[in-house]
C-alpha cells in the first residue's frame, strides 16, 4: 500500500505535488493503529458523511448517528453521492477501497448505542448554538467518561459549548472543510480548558486519517482559513460593487500579483453563489446587503450558481 504523506515543506501539498489526500489505511507511525480506533460522527449531513468516509478510508470503524430513520436513510443516500464525488476526483481505481470503507460505516439512531465504544465523537449537527449545546448535554450523559468530543462547527467558538459537554478538558474543535479528501485541512482549536494532551491526540489522529492538521494556539472565529479568506472575498466584492474593476480584472490582478492559482471570484464560484448569498444576506453589514442583492439579481435569478450549475462569474461548460 502506498501512503502519500503531506509534504512538510509545503503544508497542504503531498509529496506527489497535489493537495489531494490519496492515502488510505492506518498510519505507519502508529504501527497500523490510529490514535482513536473507533469514531462516532453525530449528524449524517454534508460534512458528517464526508468525515465518516475519510475516517473509514483509513481503516477506522465509524458509527454515524442521526435523529431518525428518515435522517439515516437520507444520510446513506448522501454517503453514496459523496463516494461518487470522491471517485470522480481520485479515479475509478479506488472504488474497491471506497466500498470497503463504506462497509466500515454503520448508522444508528440510538445515541447511547452509537457512542458506547467511541474513543472520539465528531459532532457535525446543524450550526445552531442552542441545538449543539442540547446535543452535548445528552451526549455527556451517555458517552464513556474518557471519550473525546470534537465539534466541526465553522462559526461557533468551542468555549461557547464547553460547559455543556461535562468534560471541557476533553473537548475542542476539529474543523474539516467541504470536500474533506481534497481540501484536506483539519483545523484543531481548543479552549483554555482543553487538555494539551487531548489536543495533541486529536491533531495526530487528523494526520493519521490523511488530513493536514492546522494547530491553532488560541480561539479564533473563522479559524485560520476563513480569517484570511473572508476579508479577501469581501474586499473583492467591494471593488466590483463600487465599480472600481470587474471580476476578471480583480482575479487577474490577484493571480499575477500573488501567484495564487485562483482569484477571489473564481473562489466564489467554487464555494457556490447560493452559499455566498446566504452568508451576505444574513450579515448586518450594509455592504453585505448590497452584495447579496447584486448576487440575487445578477446571478441567482439567471440560474448562475457557480461551478455547480456550470456558470457563475465564469462559464464552466
Ligand atoms: N457544509 C459545509 O460546507 C461545512 C463545512 C465545514 C464545517 N461545517 C459544519 O459542519 C456542521 C454540519 O454542517 P452540515 O453542512 O453537514 O449540515 P447538514 O445540514 O448537511 O447536516 C446536519 C445533519 O445533522 C442532523 N441532525 C439534526 N439534529 C441532530 C441532532 N440533534 N443530533 C444528531 N444529528 C442531528 C441532520 O438530520 C443532518 O443530517 C456545522 O457545524 C457546520 O458549521 C459545514
Amino acid at each position: 500500500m502506498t501512503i502519500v504523506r503531506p509534504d512538510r515543506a509545503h503544508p497542504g501539498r503531498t509529496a506527489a505535488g497535489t493537495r489531494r489526500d490519496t492515502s488510505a489505511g492506518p498510519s505507519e507511525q502508529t504501527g497500523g493503529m490510529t490514535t482513536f480506533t473507533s469514531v462516532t460522527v453525530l449528524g449524517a449531513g454534508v460534512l458528517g458523511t464526508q468525515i465518516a468516509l475519510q475516517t473509514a478510508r483509513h481503516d477506522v470503524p465509524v458509527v454515524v448517528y442521526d435523529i431518525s430513520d428518515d435522517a439515516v436513510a437520507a444520510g446513506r443516500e448522501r454517503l453514496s453521492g459523496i463516494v461518487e464525488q470522491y471517485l470522480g476526483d481520485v479515479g475509478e481505481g479506488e472504488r474497491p477501497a471506497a466500498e470497503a470503507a463504506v462497509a466500515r460505516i454503520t448508522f444508528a439512531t440510538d445515541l447511547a448505542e452509537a457512542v458506547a465504544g467511541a474513543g472520539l465523537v465528531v459532532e457535525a449537527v446543524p450550526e445552531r448554538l442552542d441545538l449543539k449545546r442540547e446535543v452535548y448535554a445528552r451526549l455527556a450523559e451517555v458517552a464513556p467518561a474518557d471519550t473525546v468530543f470534537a465539534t466541526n462547527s465553522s462559526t461557533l467558538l468551542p468555549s461557547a459549548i464547553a460547559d455543556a459537554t461535562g468534560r471541557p478538558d476533553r473537548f475542542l474543535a476539529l474543523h474539516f472543510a467541504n470536500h474533506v479528501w481534497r481540501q484536506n485541512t483539519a483545523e484543531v482549536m481548543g479552549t483554555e480548558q482543553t487538555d494539551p494532551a487531548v489536543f495533541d491526540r486529536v491533531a495526530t489522529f487528523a494526520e493519521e486519517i490523511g488530513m493536514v492538521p492546522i494547530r491553532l494556539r488560541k480561539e479564533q472565529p473563522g479559524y485560520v482559513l476563513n480569517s484570511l479568506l473572508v476579508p479577501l472575498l469581501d474586499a473583492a466584492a467591494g471593488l466590483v460593487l463600487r465599480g472600481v474593476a470587474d471580476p476578471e480584472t480583480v482575479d487577474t490582478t490577484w493571480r499575477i500579483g500573488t501567484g495564487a492559482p485562483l482569484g477571489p471570484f473564481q473562489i466564489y464560484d467554487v464555494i457556490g453563489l447560493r452559499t455566498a448569498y446566504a452568508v451576505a444576506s444574513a450579515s448586518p453589514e450594509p455592504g453585505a446587503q448590497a452584495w447579496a442583492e447584486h448576487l440575487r439579481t445578477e446571478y441567482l435569478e439567471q440560474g448562475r450558481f457557480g461551478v455547480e450549475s456550470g456558470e457563475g462569474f465564469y462559464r464552466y461548460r
Side-chain angles (χ1 to χ4, degrees):
M1 180 182 309
T2 308
I3 296 186
V4 180
R5 299 208 158 282
D7 176 355
R8 283 168 203 285
H10 302 282
R13 289 181 189 279
T14 63
T18 160
R19 300 176 68 240
R20 190 173 295 160
D21 165 38
T22 53
S23 65
S27 165
E28 284 164 345
Q29 75 198 26
T30 54
M33 283 286 269
T34 46
T35 300
F36 297 102
T37 53
S38 96
V39 168
T40 297
V41 175
L42 306 185
V46 174
L47 258 284
T49 50
Q50 294 186 25
I51 295 165
L53 179 64
Q54 181 73 14
T55 307
R57 275 181 49 234
H58 291 79
D59 285 357
V60 181
V62 181
V63 180
V64 179
Y65 164 82
D66 213 308
I67 43 173
S68 65
D69 290 341
D70 284 353
V72 161
R76 280 186 203 281
E77 205 172 314
R78 194 171 287 120
L79 178 63
S80 302
I82 295 291
V83 168
E84 296 309 317
Q85 276 186 40
Y86 166 69
L87 292 174
D89 272 355
V90 301
E92 273 297 315
E94 290 296 313
R95 189 173 286 278
E99 282 173 0
V102 169
R104 279 188 282 278
I105 300 172
T106 51
F107 287 84
T109 52
D110 181 310
L111 185 62
E113 277 176 24
V115 301
L120 174 68
V121 172
V122 181
E123 168 269 307
V125 308
E127 189 75 337
R128 278 181 22 223
L129 181 59
D130 57 339
L131 173 70
K132 293 209 190 249
R133 287 182 59 88
E134 197 185 300
V135 167
Y136 279 104
R138 281 198 293 126
L139 182 62
E141 286 174 13
V142 294
D146 56 353
T147 302
V148 172
F149 298 166
T151 180
N152 186 49
S153 173
S154 294
T155 61
L156 303 168
L157 291 176
S159 58
I161 303 171
D163 64 305
T165 68
R167 61 190 74 193
D169 56 328
R170 266 161 290 130
F171 171 67
L172 76 178
L174 175 62
H175 183 239
F176 295 82
N178 197 12
H179 303 123
V180 164
W181 59 91
R182 192 170 65 203
Q183 265 69 48
N184 63 327
T185 53
E187 296 181 285
V188 190
M189 184 168 82
T191 71
E192 287 186 354
Q193 294 171 282
T194 307
D195 179 346
V198 168
F199 184 100
D200 281 345
R201 289 178 68 209
V202 170
T204 300
F205 178 73
E207 195 162 8
E208 289 164 354
I209 60 164
M211 308 302 293
V212 177
I214 309 295
R215 294 173 169 84
L216 276 76
R217 296 196 182 126
K218 51 165 68 174
E219 281 193 305
Q220 164 68 29
Y223 302 84
V224 172
L225 180 59
N226 282 337
S227 295
L228 295 168
L229 189 56
V230 172
L232 172 70
L233 297 182
D234 285 351
L239 288 170
V240 167
L241 278 182
R242 292 195 302 278
V244 176
D246 61 27
E248 269 184 49
T249 304
V250 172
D251 281 358
T252 303
T253 310
W254 185 254
R255 287 195 309 267
I256 295 175
T258 65
L262 300 183
F265 292 97
Q266 292 172 286
I267 298 174
Y268 269 119
D269 274 352
V270 171
I271 292 169
L273 302 190
R274 287 184 289 196
T275 300
Y277 171 78
V279 171
S281 59
S283 166
E285 300 289 321
Q289 294 308 316
W291 181 237
E293 198 50 22
H294 179 78
L295 289 174
R296 186 175 66 78
T297 54
E298 304 295 318
Y299 296 91
L300 303 190
E301 285 178 359
Q302 338 300 330
R304 295 162 70 183
F305 302 145
V307 174
E308 61 176 293
S309 70
E311 191 174 356
F313 290 103
Y314 298 90
R315 275 174 181 269
Y316 300 91
R317 51 181 177 210

